[in-house]
């Protein structure tokens, strides 16, 4: 079995529909994820997460993976704090 859950990561192909300027001077990137034929879900990220030169109308691969190292680091810090409180 070679599922994404076993690999602990997921790759999503998303269409960059538009980049919207916000009142505070920042911008958001609005992606469309196709769920079924002619059915889409919006996915929004801050536009500064986009690679240089990214433009509306392009497709992107978004990779989501667990950070096992960071999770373990935070758990160890929490355990130390709990020990100090005893």
């Amino acid at each position: 079995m070679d599922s994404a859950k076993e690999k602990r990561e997921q790759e999503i192909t998303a269409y960059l529909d538009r980049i919207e300027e916000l009142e505070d001077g920042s911008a958001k990137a609005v992606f469309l994820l196709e769920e079924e034929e002619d059915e889409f879900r919006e996915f929004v990220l801050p536009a500064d997460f986009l690679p240089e030169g990214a433009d509306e109308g392009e497709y992107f691969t978004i990779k989501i993976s667990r950070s096992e190292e960071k999770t373990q680091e935070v758990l160890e810090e929490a355990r130390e704090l709990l020990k100090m409180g005893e």
Side-chain angles (χ1 to χ4, degrees):
M1 299 183 96
D2 192 28
S3 73
K5 286 184 180 180
E6 287 180 34
K7 293 189 293 185
R8 301 177 141 346
E9 65 184 33
Q10 179 74 24
E11 284 190 4
I12 301 166
T13 299
Y15 174 79
L16 180 55
D17 184 56
R18 62 192 181 277
I19 298 172
E20 296 180 356
E21 300 295 325
L22 303 175
E23 289 181 15
D24 65 1
S26 65
K28 65 180 180 179
V30 181
F31 292 91
L32 297 180
L33 308 174
E34 189 170 7
E35 292 192 321
E36 294 181 24
E37 190 173 325
D38 297 328
E39 288 187 30
F40 298 90
R41 179 186 296 188
E42 283 190 354
F43 179 74
V44 180
L45 286 175
D48 59 354
F49 285 10
L50 295 172
E52 188 174 325
D55 202 7
E56 297 171 352
E58 294 182 308
Y59 282 86
F60 293 85
T61 300
I62 301 169
K63 182 177 178 180
I64 302 170
S65 60
R66 288 188 173 108
S67 177
E68 300 291 340
E69 290 177 22
K70 184 65 176 175
T71 300
Q72 189 62 36
E73 180 182 308
V74 170
L75 287 173
E76 288 175 13
E77 288 175 8
R79 285 185 193 113
E80 289 300 316
L81 288 172
L82 288 172
K83 285 180 187 177
M84 291 172 42
E86 292 178 350

